[in-house]
């Protein structure tokens, strides 16, 4: 019966993993914020602390949680990094996939930025400006900035106060990181300028300004992908 | 401690849900076949009948089981329709969720219909017309048509030839079935008319026509949800 019982344990750990993810969504615990301690969570989910710890480990591996020793467990992202709910991993033509993703972003994200200008709270705007600066600092210091970039866009989706947008954008934008990170570091100046313009417009409650700034941001990305796609085609 | 104990109950229900799924797979119970009665299953899984019934309800919502009153519980599919990648199950305000979903659809699906008018193959259009007729027949015969309806919309997304759209739309539209099926059967005439208009426009390669027909279709749904939302608010 050894095999059965370890299967059940695995199943239970994965269920708790899923429940922690659901809990983060439901309680809207943002990245950087702390989870309740393991005694509270173990009781909440009706499991032992060792099961809870295993589930936390899985979420650390997936980039969702971070354990800071002597301090607690923090949310680093509400979206698991290995998550591929759109099953895009299988797609072979990565440049066409990059184009498909940017075309979806082009439809969704300008509208989301407009909604964020209408619905963001003052506290949201403060956080958005922090995220904007974080991306900028990384770019200026020539460090990888794509995680912070995704966090910036995901947070704008949260500011729209549409829960479906809040869930969709991290999935779509994380797909860029996972599969088709071809424009990264190619658009440094443009990213700094358009991110600032988006943040400013949301702060000023400029609905159309937020939409057009986001459009411009994504058009820069699309043009870059088009350039890469065309140069590949002319190689043939 | 009310909240904690209901969390535990929920966990148990989901474990039983998973065990029923495993049981269907292991016993190879095909769709259309009957499950053992609830006394037998409750004893088999070592839970009370009320927990078992809750688990059955979840599987009904996931398109796996169907309860025929006075007859028994039947398997309709061994594959759950969902795995809730957007984590919408936890969201409590279902009418606001319905509005959030329809607002996302309003942004995405008209653009997708336009792309389908540009990119659908002749074979695609034949299949689209079949799906359109299937929904219509179900509506005319007063049968549930939401699964066919989702298939119609998911197929249009496939016709857009954008792989990300093709993956996104089934997830978003299935969320309607799973969580917020509040307009179903309220818009029969409108659904027949607008589905036909969408299909005709795609067939005629009428880019703008496909977009406007889809807009109209989703606006009917949004207006209905708005009506339900407003009437709930005025009840308070």
């Amino acid at each position: 019966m050894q095999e059965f019982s370890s299967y059940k344990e695995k199943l239970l750990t994965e269920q708790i993993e899923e429940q922690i993810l659901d809990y983060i969504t439901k309680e809207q615990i943002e990245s950087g914020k702390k989870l309740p301690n393991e005694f509270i969570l173990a009781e909440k989910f009706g499991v032992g602390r060792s099961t809870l710890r295993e589930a936390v480990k899985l979420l650390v591996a997936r980039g969702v949680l971070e354990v800071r020793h002597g301090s607690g467990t923090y949310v680093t992202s509400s979206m698991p990094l290995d998550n591929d709910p759109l099953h895009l991993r299988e797609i072979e033509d990565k440049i066409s996939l990059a184009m498909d993703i940017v075309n979806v972003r082009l439809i969704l994200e300008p509208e989301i930025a407009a909604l964020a200008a209408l619905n963001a709270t003052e506290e949201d705007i403060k956080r958005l400006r922090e995220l904007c600066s974080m991306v900028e600092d990384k770019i200026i210091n020539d460090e990888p900035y794509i995680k912070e970039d995704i966090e910036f866009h995901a947070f704008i989706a949260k500011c729209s106060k549409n829960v479906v947008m809040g869930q969709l954008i991290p999935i779509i934008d994380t797909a860029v990181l996972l599969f088709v990170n071809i424009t990264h570091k190619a658009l440094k100046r443009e990213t700094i300028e358009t991110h600032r313009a988006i943040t400013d417009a949301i702060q000023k409650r400029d609905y159309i300004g937020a939409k057009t700034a986001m459009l411009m941001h994504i058009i820069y990305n699309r043009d870059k992908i088009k350039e890469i796609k065309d140069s590949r085609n002319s190689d043939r």
Side-chain angles (χ1 to χ4, degrees), chain A:
Chain A
M1 300 300 279
Q2 173 59 40
E3 198 192 338
F4 288 174
S5 97
S6 78
Y7 188 81
K8 271 189 197 163
E9 265 164 37
K10 185 169 170 293
L11 190 63
L12 181 59
T13 305
E14 282 173 0
Q15 279 174 346
I16 298 308
E17 184 189 358
E18 211 52 42
Q19 303 235 355
I20 296 173
L21 273 175
D22 284 348
Y23 176 79
I24 292 169
T25 309
K26 193 181 164 195
E27 301 292 321
Q28 305 191 339
I29 306 176
E30 285 162 17
S31 64
K33 294 281 160 70
K34 200 170 158 178
L35 274 191
N37 74 43
E38 62 183 18
F39 294 96
I40 292 173
L41 289 179
E43 190 171 350
K44 184 170 202 76
F45 301 133
V47 292
R49 280 170 57 205
S50 66
T51 304
L52 187 90
R53 244 178 257 145
E54 284 306 308
V56 167
K57 267 188 208 163
L58 292 176
L59 289 169
V60 169
R62 298 174 75 190
V64 172
L65 297 177
E66 183 193 345
V67 177
R68 297 186 202 154
H69 293 287
S71 172
T73 303
Y74 290 79
V75 174
T76 47
S77 159
S78 60
M79 186 56 53
L81 281 174
D82 62 338
N83 214 17
D84 184 21
L86 303 178
H87 302 282
L88 301 177
R89 202 181 298 276
E90 302 302 312
I91 292 161
E92 275 166 21
D93 184 344
K94 296 300 181 199
I95 296 178
S96 288
L97 176 59
M99 188 55 100
D100 284 355
I101 292 174
V102 85
N103 284 339
V104 171
R105 295 187 64 195
L106 200 56
I107 294 170
L108 274 176
E109 294 199 40
E111 299 297 328
I112 290 171
L115 286 171
L118 292 177
N119 298 330
T121 65
E122 290 304 314
E123 201 181 336
D124 288 340
I125 290 166
K126 224 173 111 186
R127 174 74 182 143
L128 186 63
R129 198 157 283 287
E130 280 169 20
L131 290 169
C132 185
S133 297
M134 273 169 60
V135 177
E136 237 172 80
D137 291 348
K138 294 260 174 180
I139 293 177
I140 290 165
N141 295 322
D142 204 30
E143 291 170 38
Y145 60 90
I146 189 159
K147 276 190 198 176
E148 289 75 13
D149 196 339
I150 293 169
E151 204 66 49
F152 176 78
H153 287 273
F155 192 73
I156 292 172
K158 272 231 154 60
C159 293
S160 77
K161 308 301 176 193
N162 180 315
V163 290
V164 182
M165 303 286 197
Q167 297 295 94
L168 270 183
I169 294 305
I171 291 176
I172 296 170
D173 291 8
T174 302
V176 177
L177 169 61
L178 286 176
F179 308 118
V180 291
N181 189 8
I182 61 181
T183 61
H184 191 51
K185 291 197 169 185
L187 295 164
K188 292 179 174 187
R189 181 187 54 80
E190 294 87 344
T191 299
I192 288 177
E193 281 177 11
T194 51
H195 274 196
R196 265 193 210 173
I198 294 164
T199 307
D200 288 349
I202 291 173
Q203 179 161 27
K204 287 175 190 154
R205 309 297 181 181
D206 177 1
Y207 176 95
I208 308 286
K211 185 167 165 169
T212 54
M214 182 65 87
L215 255 179
M216 193 167 282
H217 178 65
I218 298 177
I219 289 171
Y220 279 128
N221 278 276
R222 188 181 190 279
D223 284 351
K224 194 78 207 166
I225 294 165
K226 188 85 173 62
E227 199 183 301
I228 295 166
K229 195 172 180 176
D230 289 349
S231 76
R232 179 190 64 171
N233 290 343
S234 69
D235 285 348
R236 284 179 176 173

